Amino acid sequence: MTVPSKNFQQWLNSVAGTASHSAVCRAAGIKRSTLAQQLVRGRVSVATVAAVSRSLHLPVVQSLSTFEKYQDLAAGVLPPTDAELLSQVSDTDLLQEILYRSTAADNGTEAREVSLAPIPHRVSVRTWLDAVGPADLRQRAARAAGIAPQNLSTQVTANRLTPELAIHCARIAGVGLANGLVATGFLSSDEAGWMPHAREELLRRTPNSTLLALSAERMEALGKTMKRLEADAEADQSVWENLG
């Protein structure tokens, strides 16, 4: 997603002063030619805005909120719900927590603490969407963004979601507008205002029954994905055999 280059230039002048574009790009870790091309085309990517903000030690959410398309982002920051936090615990870590608890119960000891993988995990976009609901969330988000539902599904399958779509989904679901940007990896949890170690603390106090139900849902979804991949692989193999 992009912002108008004119607005970007105004913002850049206000935060970077007289620094040259070359200096800004070096600090932000982006190519000078990349920024130049974006400016010529009249649209600058929000990833560029975020990179410049981080290089200047500015809050990314506040920086994005200076642009009209994202003007309600900062005001819409809310703590993640418990469901959102658990959605950002990977399948492996969820199963590991269950295993540690089971082993501790058998041995009469304290359960080991799981060291959680960073966000995003392998299916963090899908699990976040499933956590925030409602059932027609994806269809409504696609309509709001003016894209076909299949295009959104393709992004979700690839564990991607544009910032605009992530914000649309959060707005429809009534959750913090920056939370979907965490699930996509566009923002860190710190940048979105999440409390440090919130996932770990919630995981430790979540009842066994809840963890088992959640893991069952995750495994069912994983099973469907694996069946689809296996079917695709078989179809591809059949094509090669017929050609062969």
Side-chain angles (χ1 to χ4, degrees):
M1 292 292 100
T2 61
V3 298
S5 59
K6 178 180 179 180
N7 298 128
F8 173 81
Q9 291 272 39
Q10 293 171 342
W11 170 77
L12 185 62
N13 290 337
S14 69
V15 297
T18 59
S20 67
H21 284 181
S22 295
V24 168
C25 289
R26 277 197 305 274
I30 57 179
K31 293 182 178 179
R32 175 69 181 85
S33 59
T34 298
L35 177 58
Q37 289 171 1
Q38 292 177 8
L39 292 174
V40 168
R41 292 171 182 164
R43 311 296 298 180
V44 175
S45 74
V46 291
T48 296
V49 176
V52 173
S53 295
R54 292 182 181 115
S55 71
L56 296 172
H57 306 291
L58 298 172
V60 177
V61 170
Q62 294 289 344
S63 294
L64 288 174
S65 295
T66 63
F67 300 95
E68 183 177 1
K69 184 182 293 185
Y70 304 101
Q71 62 185 353
D72 61 342
L73 182 59
V77 169
L78 293 172
T81 64
D82 286 355
E84 286 180 287
L85 287 172
L86 286 177
S87 79
Q88 297 313 298
V89 175
S90 71
D91 294 350
T92 300
D93 289 342
L94 184 62
L95 293 172
Q96 189 68 70
E97 174 70 13
I98 293 171
L99 177 61
Y100 282 170
R101 291 189 187 188
S102 178
T103 301
D106 290 343
N107 298 335
T109 59
E110 288 291 325
R112 292 171 56 188
E113 292 186 5
V114 177
S115 179
L116 298 185
I119 307 171
H121 59 75
R122 184 178 56 82
V123 288
S124 56
V125 170
R126 178 183 60 75
T127 53
W128 176 74
L129 290 171
D130 290 345
V132 299
D136 62 346
L137 173 60
R138 299 187 192 190
Q139 291 80 4
R140 292 169 62 183
R143 285 198 301 270
I147 65 171
Q150 299 93 314
N151 291 344
L152 191 152
S153 294
T154 298
Q155 290 189 46
V156 174
T157 299
N159 205 37
R160 295 185 292 104
L161 207 59
T162 65
E164 185 178 15
L165 272 172
I167 294 171
H168 277 313
C169 290
R171 187 177 288 113
I172 293 168
V175 298
L177 297 187
N179 293 349
L181 299 177
V182 176
T184 66
F186 182 83
L187 292 179
S188 70
S189 56
D190 288 341
E191 289 172 333
W194 294 18
M195 293 295 293
H197 310 298
R199 292 186 302 152
E200 290 85 349
E201 292 172 4
L202 175 61
L203 183 62
R204 285 196 292 270
R205 67 173 187 267
T206 300
N208 291 335
S209 58
T210 302
L211 292 184
L212 288 168
L214 181 58
S215 65
E217 293 175 6
R218 297 273 192 94
M219 293 302 100
E220 181 180 5
L222 178 59
K224 291 179 179 178
T225 299
M226 295 304 297
K227 285 182 179 179
R228 185 171 63 251
L229 292 174
E230 289 166 358
D232 290 344
E234 289 177 2
D236 290 343
Q237 182 62 31
S238 177
V239 169
W240 281 111
E241 289 176 353
N242 290 333
L243 290 174

